[in-house]
Amino acid sequence: MNIQKIRFIEPGERPYKNTILNHLVYDRYIRTPSVGLNTLATIVKKKYSDTYMYSEAISKIVKSDVLDADVIFIGIFTFNANRGYQIARYFKRHTNAVVVMGGLHATMNYKEAVHYCDYVMLGEGDESILELLHALEKGNPADVPGLAYLENGEVKTTGKRQPPENIDGIADRSLVYQFKNRVHYNTIWPQVHASRGCPHNCDYCALVRLYGHRVRTRSVEDVIKDIRYSLDFFNSGRLPRLLRAVWLTDDNFFADREWAMAVLRGIIDSGIHTRFIIQARYEVGFDEEMLTLLKKAGFFELAIGIEFIDDSEFETFHKRSTVEEIRRAIKNIQNHGISVRGLFIMGGDQDRKGIGDRLADFVIENGIKGVLIQSMYFVPGTPVYEKNRNRLLHENWSKYNGCVVHYPKHISPYQLQLEHIHASKKIYSWKRLLRALLFEDPIHKLLFVGEFFWHRSICLDLKKELPYLKAMSENRP
C-alpha cells in the first residue's frame, strides 16, 4: 500500500454549525478540539506531509478533501461514539481508505467499534500510530501490538501494548482545520495536557483504565514551551479574546508532587503572565507550599472532583474522600486567593428525592464559583459499568453525556433528572447571575455569564428526555 494522504477526524456530539450560541454556550455547537488526536496528527505529519485534521467541535468536515485519503483516523469518546460510527461507516462506503478508530471508547469497547472500521488502535497511539502506517505499507498490520480487527467475522487482537514512556511533544494546532479562525471564541480555551495516569482507582473513572495507575510526565521545559505556543496561537486570532486563561487538562496533575512543583516554578521563572485553571483532587487544599506556588504562578481556580456529598457514596465507589475534609480543603484553597469549581455526580446509590437541593446548597454555602453536574456515567470497561449493566436504561451512547441512563436505587430516573435540572437552576439562578455581575471580579463575571447560558442549554436537553424517563420509570421491570 502506498500511503500519501492521511486525515484525522474528531466527531462532534453535535456537529459544528455557525450560530451566535457559539459565543455563549460551550458544548452545544462548539468545544475545544481534542489535544490527544491533534498530538497524533502532529506525530504523523513529521513523516507524512499530507496530514490534516478535522474536528466537528469547531468546523464541518470537508468531505471532498477526505474522500481520496489513503488512511482515515477517527478518535471517539463514549458521548460521540455514535457520531464516530456514522462517519466511519460513510467513509468505508465511499472511499478506498483504511479506516482506523481509536480513543477512550474505542479502546474500552473495541469489540463494538471494530465492526465500523478496518482496525481499532488500542490505548495510547504515540508509538503505535507510525508502526501501523509502516505496517500497512508493507502489508503486515497484524504484526503491530495493540490492534483489534475482524477476521472472518471474528474479533482478533494483537495483544496489549505498553504505554509510551516519553510523552514530550507539542500538538501543532495549525493542523486542525479552521482552528485559527475560531480562537477568538471565549467558549474554547487554550489547553495543555502535561501528564498521564492516576494512582487512584475510582470505579467510574475510565481514564485510569486507559492511561494506567503509574503517572508519566512531560518534561518541565516541554510543558512551558507548550503553554507559550498555546497562548501565542490563541492570541493571534482576528479578534481579541476577553478570556485569557490556560486550562491544564491533566486528570491528576498533583499525583507526582515534586514534578508538579517543578512545573509551577518553571512557569514562574518563565515570565509567563496569564491565568491558569487546573483539575485537582481535594487533598491539594492541605498542601500549603503547593497552594502558594499555584497562586504565584497565576492559577486563579482549581476544578475539584468532589463528585458526591455523602461519605457512603465515596466508600461505594472506592474514592478516598470525606465531605468534611472536602469542606476544609475548599476553605483553605479560598484562603490562598484561589477559587474552587466543583465537579459533581448525581445518581449514586444513596441519592434520594431532595438531592438537587442538597447539592445546590452545598455549592452555595461553600462559595464554589462554578459547577459541572453529571448523572452517573458508565463507560464500557469500567467497574461501575460492569456492576450496573442490568440497571442501564439503554446503550445509546449519545445520551451518555450527563443525562440519566440507569435505574438508581432510591429514586426514579425521571425524578433524578428533575433533581439535576433543579440543582442547575438553583445554582445558576437569575438572582445569582445579578449578584455575580455586581460583586464578582471581572473574570468570574465573564465565567458566570457563560456558565449561566451553558447550564440553561444543558437543562433544555435534560428536559427533552423527561417523557422517555417518565415512561421508563413507570414501567420499571
Side-chain angles (χ1 to χ4, degrees), residues 30-49:
I30 193 169
R31 62 184 291 141
T32 309
S34 167
V35 175
L37 196 63
N38 191 187
T39 298
L40 295 183
T42 303
I43 291 169
V44 170
K45 175 71 173 180
K46 294 175 182 177
K47 298 291 184 179
Y48 298 86
S49 60

Side-chain angles (χ1 to χ4, degrees), residues 223-238:
V223 174
I224 302 303
K225 287 179 182 177
D226 201 352
I227 292 170
R228 285 192 188 280
Y229 167 68
S230 188
L231 284 170
D232 290 343
F233 185 83
F234 269 76
N235 291 335
S236 62
R238 295 173 297 179

Side-chain angles (χ1 to χ4, degrees), residues 95-162:
T95 75
N96 294 317
V98 174
V99 178
V100 182
M101 301 196 82
L104 176 64
H105 186 84
T107 294
M108 303 285 281
N109 202 17
Y110 68 86
K111 291 181 181 179
E112 173 188 272
V114 76
H115 291 277
Y116 297 89
C117 59
D118 295 295
Y119 299 97
V120 174
M121 193 165 62
L122 305 172
E124 301 168 61
D126 307 56
E127 296 172 348
S128 58
I129 195 163
L130 288 179
E131 288 185 24
L132 173 57
L133 289 169
H134 295 159
L136 286 171
E137 290 181 316
K138 294 178 181 178
N140 58 350
D143 293 342
V144 178
L147 291 182
Y149 57 95
L150 284 178
E151 186 177 277
N152 298 321
E154 184 180 351
V155 178
K156 300 281 189 177
T157 71
T158 58
K160 185 176 180 181
R161 187 183 187 95
Q162 292 301 311

Side-chain angles (χ1 to χ4, degrees), residues 387-453:
K387 291 176 184 176
N388 294 279
R389 293 183 72 167
N390 63 332
R391 295 167 61 188
L392 296 179
L393 298 171
H394 55 75
E395 289 191 346
N396 178 357
W397 305 125
S398 65
K399 305 297 184 184
Y400 281 55
N401 59 356
C403 184
V404 177
V405 297
H406 79 300
Y407 289 106
K409 279 192 175 180
H410 300 295
I411 187 173
S412 72
Y414 174 74
Q415 185 62 47
L416 180 62
Q417 191 93 325
L418 289 175
E419 296 287 342
H420 186 164
I421 294 168
H422 177 69
S424 181
K425 287 190 171 182
K426 187 171 182 178
I427 295 167
Y428 291 95
S429 65
W430 287 100
K431 180 179 179 181
R432 283 175 51 78
L433 174 62
L434 178 60
R435 184 184 182 281
L437 292 172
L438 290 175
F439 300 111
E440 290 289 359
D441 58 87
I443 192 168
H444 282 104
K445 290 184 198 294
L446 182 61
L447 286 173
F448 199 95
V449 169
E451 289 167 26
F452 179 87
F453 288 106

Side-chain angles (χ1 to χ4, degrees), residues 43-81:
I43 291 169
V44 170
K45 175 71 173 180
K46 294 175 182 177
K47 298 291 184 179
Y48 298 86
S49 60
D50 194 355
T51 297
Y52 206 48
M53 174 175 164
Y54 292 96
S55 171
E56 288 192 311
I58 58 168
S59 74
K60 294 182 179 180
I61 300 168
V62 181
K63 290 182 179 178
S64 60
D65 175 56
V66 182
L67 287 173
D68 63 345
D70 299 306
V71 183
I72 301 170
F73 289 97
I74 303 171
I76 58 173
F77 290 92
T78 297
F79 70 89
N80 66 356

Side-chain angles (χ1 to χ4, degrees), residues 303-315:
I304 304 294
I306 298 170
E307 271 96 51
F308 307 108
I309 52 173
D310 189 309
D311 285 349
S312 61
E313 297 283 26
F314 295 128
E315 296 172 9

